[in-house]
Amino acid sequence: MLEEDVALSVMPKGSALFYLGSVWHGGGANRSAKPRMGLINTYALGWLRQEVNQFVAVPRDVAMAYPPIIRRLLGYQNYGRALGNLPPDLIA
């Protein structure tokens, strides 16, 4: 990556920045005394492998405590006849 390809985005509190997932990105140093929070909102088709393996990131007992809609958003559902096969008690 060349230095002329880099663009900085310094924004006031409450601002939002939207970019495509193909963009190389990174956060600069947090120079404040408070934590910095961000939100990443992504969507993958049901037949594609997820970016984050929720089956590893969210323990089974925690996932089972979530409502069915949340389990579906985490990928705990069947897709077609062969993808996403899970134990019946986890399928939303």
Side-chain angles (χ1 to χ4, degrees):
M1 178 179 300
L2 301 174
E3 189 171 333
E4 60 262 19
D5 294 331
V6 175
L8 300 177
S9 180
V10 179
M11 302 176 298
K13 181 178 178 178
S15 297
L17 173 66
F18 296 89
Y19 55 87
L20 297 176
S22 59
V23 171
W24 284 65
H25 58 280
N30 182 5
R31 296 185 179 131
S32 73
K34 297 183 179 181
R36 178 170 47 190
M37 182 173 48
L39 168 71
I40 298 173
N41 186 16
T42 62
Y43 176 78
L45 297 172
W47 53 271
L48 293 175
R49 190 170 294 278
Q50 301 177 57
E51 182 177 347
V52 175
N53 187 344
Q54 299 296 342
F55 308 114
V56 174
V58 179
R60 181 184 166 146
D61 58 325
V62 173
M64 289 182 67
Y66 290 150
I69 185 81
I70 300 301
R71 290 198 309 261
R72 281 195 304 272
L73 290 171
L74 289 173
Y76 287 90
Q77 64 181 342
N78 287 334
Y79 183 85
R81 296 186 319 166
L83 298 171
N85 292 321
L86 299 166
D89 57 338
L90 279 181
I91 298 171

